[in-house]
Amino acid sequence: MKTVKLGLIFVLGLFLSTVVQASGVTLCLQKNCQSMTNYKTEEIIAQLNEMFSGDQREILFCAADEQTKRCLNKPISFLGYSNLMQVDFQILFARLNHVKKNANSLEMSLDYQIKANQYYPRCIASDSFLTLSTSWNGGLRLLSPLFDCRITELGKTQLFFQFDVDYVNLDTGYFGGFYRVFSQGDVLSPENKGYALFRLTNSRHIEQERLLPQNVPGISNVNRRTLSQTSKGDTIFGWTSDEWAEKWNKFKETALKIIYLEPLND
């Protein structure tokens, strides 16, 4: 009898986990959130095509809290290993090169900007798919099959990325979901899972940018200046610690762009 009860508990647990995984996508529009299956497939694909075909050409990723759908202000991160070293991967953003609409999917070329041990290796753009499923309670998946990255000089590394969307907010432009990522080849990484947000943008800031002094309520018009400006009388020895940090970060970002041949005006 005890064995039967344990079997029933196991089957119930398996059923509940299946239901949770197949619970579908919540779509929010005009502050009203409901199941995506309440909308027509054609309407959703048309809306997604409009979003991904617009003038915002970068997809910015951010590790997030599954319950609150809030960004944790850090990128998707995971570890890989080669024969000589450990590699700290970070998926920061992907450049969106082109989009083609099909019946239930969008084909797109994604140029992932991945940081590996503080450097940006050269990666081949991934032929990716954002696919809408109408089975069960509906689903939305961004899939980037294996694509090559030159992580080391000794061999070839391939990365795989999958993002199963469970939350779309058309008011804010945020997509939330569960990701799977791994690498194989010269740098190996076991499958890593987690929850993240992504958003189409041109600013590379998934959170609202910090307000400049002239935009902060309560600050008078006297002696206003932006964070990047200094008066003619300022000297290097008069900088505050915040100004030191800001100028160093700008110098470092410019130097990395020059090294990796990225546009300086991004």
Side-chain angles (χ1 to χ4, degrees), residues 193-213:
K193 298 180 180 180
Y195 194 87
L197 296 175
F198 74 76
R199 182 184 184 188
L200 285 164
T201 180
N202 283 328
S203 67
R204 300 189 191 174
H205 297 282
I206 200 163
E207 291 288 275
Q208 183 179 0
E209 293 184 319
R210 184 172 60 173
L211 294 175
L212 296 178

Side-chain angles (χ1 to χ4, degrees), residues 241-260:
S241 59
D242 289 340
E243 289 172 326
W244 270 103
E246 180 189 1
K247 292 177 186 297
W248 170 249
N249 288 335
K250 286 185 176 180
F251 170 78
K252 183 169 63 173
E253 181 178 359
T254 301
L256 287 174
K257 286 183 177 181
I258 293 174
I259 292 173
Y260 294 102

Side-chain angles (χ1 to χ4, degrees), residues 29 38 59 70 79 127 190 203 217 225:
L29 179 61
N38 293 334
I59 299 177
R70 292 184 63 86
L79 293 176
D127 292 329
S203 67
R225 64 181 183 179

Side-chain angles (χ1 to χ4, degrees), residues 102-191:
N102 289 324
N104 286 348
S105 66
L106 301 178
E107 295 181 16
M108 59 186 71
S109 176
L110 295 181
D111 183 11
Y112 281 92
Q113 304 301 299
I114 296 174
K115 185 182 287 187
N117 288 352
Q118 304 305 310
Y119 296 98
Y120 289 88
R122 184 176 298 276
C123 297
I124 296 177
S126 170
D127 292 329
S128 304
F129 307 88
L130 182 65
T131 304
L132 176 67
S133 171
T134 57
S135 61
W136 191 245
N137 285 334
L140 187 63
R141 170 177 290 176
L142 174 64
L143 177 64
S144 296
L146 291 169
F147 58 96
D148 295 340
C149 283
R150 192 71 172 179
I151 308 298
T152 69
E153 294 299 324
L154 302 178
K156 183 171 64 176
T157 300
Q158 293 181 312
L159 277 80
F160 170 93
F161 185 70
Q162 177 178 303
F163 195 95
D164 290 317
V165 177
D166 74 336
Y167 170 78
V168 179
N169 192 323
L170 296 179
D171 297 326
T172 62
Y174 284 95
F175 292 73
F178 300 89
Y179 66 83
R180 294 174 53 227
V181 60
F182 65 84
S183 67
Q184 65 181 36
D186 188 50
V187 179
L188 293 173
S189 173
E191 184 177 278

Side-chain angles (χ1 to χ4, degrees), residues 229-246:
Q229 293 175 331
T230 57
S231 64
K232 293 182 179 180
D234 284 343
T235 67
I236 190 170
F237 300 103
W239 291 348
T240 66
S241 59
D242 289 340
E243 289 172 326
W244 270 103
E246 180 189 1

